[in-house]
Amino acid sequence: MVYVSRVFLRKYGNFVDNLRFYVHGGSGGMGLPRLGGRGGNGGDVWVVASKNVTLKRVKEQNPGKRLVAGVGQNSSIRALKGEKGKNVELLVPVGIIVTNDNGQVLGHLNAESDRVMVAKGGSGGSFHSAFQPHKGQAKHIRLDLKLIADLGLVGFPNAGKSSLLTALSNATPQIASYAFTTLRPEIGKVMYPDHKQISVADLPGLIEGAHMNKGMGHKFLKHVERTKQLLFVVDVSGFQLATKTAFRSAFEAVQLLTKELELYKEELLTKPALLVVNKMDLPEAEEKLEKLKEQLQNPEDFYDQLPEDMIPKNYLTFKHIIPVSTITGLGIDHLKSSIRQSLDEDAVKQTEGFHQEKLQTLKSKALQHML
Ligand SMILES: Nc1nc2c(ncn2[C@@H]2O[C@H](COP(=O)(O)OP(=O)(O)O)[C@@H](O)[C@H]2O)c(=O)[nH]1
Ligand SMILES: [Mg+2]
């Protein structure tokens, strides 16, 4: 039983899109009463946006999730004004929002080198403080990757992503604009009877070889990072990008899409994923769907159909496979409820994780108090 749930965790929800850190500004140095000297201020803790950093890396490089800045130097006869303690800088990806444990926003890091001070060092001791130094600020902070939408559509051109977005959102999707990205994905809002809204981003169609940065592929994949879950969309009859390129079945489309994500950033495949099989109104769709489902049960048995370099290292397990037709409306309601279910499950897990961390902090605080 334990094993099963661990496998589940590895597959889904392993993507790091938030982190909690303990930050502590350095204490100030002592002042020198005899000569009216002033201790150096403690160092500050900063969070700084940088390219080519992922939250996963940040997590791996800071297992203790603690940042403590340097202590200010004491004032001495040789240096009446003590030196400032060392600052600490935590490099994080662009597009991060920093909050404290109460949910107050400390800063938005939307562009490279944007920075926010999260814990100020204590001031050094001086005449005004009877030469006693102050302690630095201490708190927990939370780093959250800003999302563009709850779900991101992943599919080759013509799979029916735009049609699906329209069918789901009962309205013309809006073109969104975000401070931290130059791309303009289309965002549709899915409404539920209890007034909950879920956003779905339609991204420029992925092409084979996107990881090699052909066409819009690379920029497209960047967007996928900023959605909680993936919604793969394939045409039940498969597709052919151009007369020169091979015809691909729906099964091959799924594998090619998986491979593109893997080559771009393997981490993306740890997000929960759903599969929409579109165009179920076409002839022989039912048979093709059955075949696709069968193939997805044991993908490895069917890999010989694929070019060697297009075989994914790990196949993706979809939480739901939903056949739809955006033209007749078949399956759209089922899709809506599957999406909702999947996101709700994830939200529960997230909240549990966050509470667990807070509880842990309280416990260790209580323990320190007792010692
Ligand atoms: N038969 C059928 N055609 C569809 C369906 N959904 C989309 N299409 C057609 O497929 C083509 C591509 O659709 P579009 O939404 O633009 O695909 P996108 O490139 O993935 O955004 C259009 O000609 C649509 O009319 C469907 O459920 N059934
Ligand atoms: Mg489109």
Side-chain angles (χ1 to χ4, degrees):
M1 202 52 213
V2 171
Y3 180 67
V4 170
S5 74
R6 275 184 59 199
V7 169
F8 181 81
L9 277 178
R10 186 175 62 82
K11 281 215 187 318
Y12 303 123
N14 203 357
F15 188 83
V16 182
D17 59 12
N18 68 73
L19 279 179
R20 187 164 168 266
F21 266 88
Y22 174 74
V23 293
H24 201 325
S27 299
M30 301 273 281
L32 190 65
R34 192 152 52 89
L35 299 171
R38 194 189 165 99
N41 294 336
D44 313 313
V45 182
W46 292 83
V47 180
V48 184
S50 165
K51 283 193 181 140
N52 308 319
V53 184
T54 67
L55 277 186
K56 187 161 183 259
R57 283 271 305 282
V58 175
K59 185 179 178 181
E60 284 162 3
Q61 288 170 354
N62 299 275
K65 295 196 267 180
R66 269 176 77 84
L67 299 171
V68 182
V71 175
Q73 257 179 13
N74 293 340
S75 144
S76 66
I77 292 174
R78 254 170 282 140
L80 276 184
K81 189 167 183 331
E83 252 185 68
K84 187 178 182 224
K86 258 204 155 126
N87 287 348
V88 167
E89 286 189 357
L90 179 71
L91 298 185
V92 300
V94 175
I96 287 277
I97 183 164
V98 188
T99 50
N100 65 15
D101 257 359
N102 302 325
Q104 271 172 326
V105 176
L106 306 179
H108 293 266
L109 306 177
N110 290 333
E112 167 115 64
S113 356
D114 278 0
R115 49 172 49 230
V116 56
M117 190 199 285
V118 290
K120 194 171 169 48
S123 47
S126 66
F127 175 76
H128 302 286
S129 64
F131 301 97
Q132 289 307 304
H134 289 280
K135 283 196 169 142
Q137 289 178 342
K139 61 175 84 105
H140 279 94
I141 59 163
R142 209 180 126 118
L143 309 169
D144 277 283
L145 204 56
K146 291 192 196 187
L147 297 176
I148 54 166
D150 297 305
L151 281 119
L153 299 179
V154 177
F156 289 114
N158 277 320
K161 297 179 298 300
S162 303
S163 313
L164 185 66
L165 195 64
T166 309
L168 281 173
S169 51
N170 299 322
T172 318
Q174 310 228 307
I175 309 286
S177 164
Y178 293 93
F180 56 89
T181 172
T182 50
L183 272 185
R184 304 272 182 274
E186 276 198 87
I187 308 286
K189 296 260 186 232
V190 188
M191 311 284 198
Y192 290 87
D194 63 351
H195 302 297
K196 175 153 171 107
Q197 285 189 20
I198 282 171
S199 54
V200 181
D202 183 15
L203 314 157
L206 189 61
I207 57 161
E208 275 190 66
H211 63 282
M212 294 192 291
N213 209 1
K214 286 185 197 151
M216 292 290 284
H218 205 78
K219 285 185 183 163
F220 157 86
L221 288 168
K222 255 193 146 120
H223 272 307
V224 178
E225 290 184 76
R226 296 195 179 274
T227 59
K228 286 188 197 142
Q229 305 199 354
L230 310 175
L231 195 58
F232 276 51
V233 184
V234 297
D235 180 332
V236 68
S237 308
F239 75 105
Q240 190 170 20
L241 281 180
T243 42
K244 290 177 294 192
T245 58
F247 175 82
R248 305 286 190 195
S249 69
F251 171 74
E252 290 172 308
V254 169
Q255 304 312 322
L256 290 171
L257 291 168
T258 308
K259 187 68 185 180
E260 291 295 353
L261 294 185
E262 175 195 299
L263 289 169
Y264 175 70
K265 205 168 273 181
E266 222 173 318
E267 222 180 303
L268 294 178
L269 295 174
T270 60
K271 294 189 185 211
L274 315 185
L275 174 63
V276 173
V277 185
N278 189 27
K279 310 198 187 179
M280 285 304 293
D281 54 285
L282 292 177
E284 292 166 54
E286 278 302 332
E287 291 88 326
K288 287 174 180 160
L289 173 68
E290 283 319 307
K291 185 160 179 220
L292 171 63
K293 282 185 173 168
E294 189 195 315
Q295 289 172 313
L296 288 174
Q297 294 266 317
N298 293 301
E300 280 125 334
D301 296 351
F302 301 90
Y303 277 173
D304 50 2
Q305 303 169 8
L306 288 168
E308 187 95 39
D309 60 347
M310 274 292 147
I311 298 172
K313 280 196 252 174
N314 291 299
Y315 55 85
L316 208 55
T317 310
F318 294 101
K319 290 182 78 179
H320 301 276
I321 298 176
I322 310 112
V324 307
S325 165
T326 67
I327 289 185
T328 67
L330 171 105
I332 297 296
D333 283 339
H334 180 209
L335 174 60
K336 279 190 188 175
S337 50
S338 305
I339 289 173
R340 176 72 186 268
Q341 190 192 336
S342 182
L343 282 166
D344 284 352
E345 278 167 13
D346 224 29
V348 168
K349 231 168 55 188
Q350 285 263 336
T351 318
E352 277 173 359
F354 192 48
H355 282 177
Q356 209 71 53
E357 273 195 38
K358 266 193 170 179
L359 200 65
Q360 209 59 46
T361 314
L362 289 176
K363 274 187 191 157
S364 58
K365 261 190 199 157
L367 199 65
Q368 274 172 11
H369 207 73
M370 279 160 61
L371 293 176

